[in-house]
Amino acid sequence: MSSSTDLRPHADESAGVGAGLDALETVPTERVPLGRILRQKALPPLLGVVLVLGVWQLAHSLRLTAPDKLPAPAEVWVALTDLWYEGTLFSIIWTSLWRGGSGFLLAVAIGTPIGLLVARVRPVRAAAGPLLTGLQSLPSVAWVPATVIWLGIDDSAMYAVILLGAVPSVANGLISGIDQVPPLFLRAGRTLGATGPLGARYVLLPAALPGYLAGLKQGWAFSWRSLMAAELITSSPELGLGLGRYLENQREYSDMPGVLLGIVLILVVGVAVDLLCFGPLERRVLRSRGLLTAGR
């Protein structure tokens, strides 16, 4: 009788520990008020933009440089409204966005199998690994003259520059992610029959997803930068008018408000794609791994 009485406190203590662990594993799912979300996510960037505009206007008002070299924000706004009324604003943005997006998707389709092959086959890694690293560090603008000679001044040259800039980043991101996969995962997958393409589909890629996602973000950045470099240098009626070509045209006209508008538009589009596409995907991946709480 006394022994059962002595065991009861230990059983209660074990049950309490188990309940505590269960509570720790439970992710709170309470709804976050809309006002709090706006304060945390929308207000800081808006304040940053207001601060930049204020410093910009102050520098213009104090004449820190010639007005034709640093126009006021209002003059850049006038350049934006001119494009709007001309009906060319969205066509200029869409021309570059379509090229950059389709080129990036093609880079993902090419870079992903390359990354898998280099990460899993040692002789291929010894031969191609340094080459991928070197290509990633090579400025994309260096490829523009060569691709123009090889392919001519058309969309194929643009896509070639994008691929040469983005594929190494996508592949290296996947390689880095695979290198961080615990070997236990691979052994468990082989035990369950997940080998070859099945192992890559159900074990390697899901486990390497955080590193792979970082490579995708970097690949998009390289795609966008490569495209802007190609559009700045090349000019042809067949290419249409993209953001990079618009920026160079304004430079040739010595139109500084137009130049600054081109820079702002390039920045806004690149950041918007990152926030609207990669931001939610990254939060979903982190949340699925318990690394991010709900509402963030």
Side-chain angles (χ1 to χ4, degrees), residues 70-105:
L70 183 63
E75 297 178 57
V76 178
W77 176 259
V78 171
L80 176 64
T81 57
D82 288 343
L83 285 182
W84 173 271
Y85 290 123
E86 291 171 5
T88 57
L89 176 62
F90 290 111
S91 65
I92 292 173
I93 294 175
W94 177 248
T95 298
S96 294
L97 188 58
W98 171 257
R99 284 192 190 127
S102 55
F104 168 71
L105 293 178

Side-chain angles (χ1 to χ4, degrees), residues 93 224 243 261-275:
I93 294 175
W224 192 239
L243 287 171
L261 175 61
I263 294 173
V264 170
L265 289 177
I266 293 171
L267 175 65
V268 168
V269 173
V271 172
V273 171
D274 182 75
L275 291 178

Side-chain angles (χ1 to χ4, degrees), residues 3-19:
S3 60
S4 62
T5 304
D6 294 339
L7 290 175
R8 189 174 301 164
H10 296 287
D12 294 340
E13 183 178 353
S14 299
V17 172

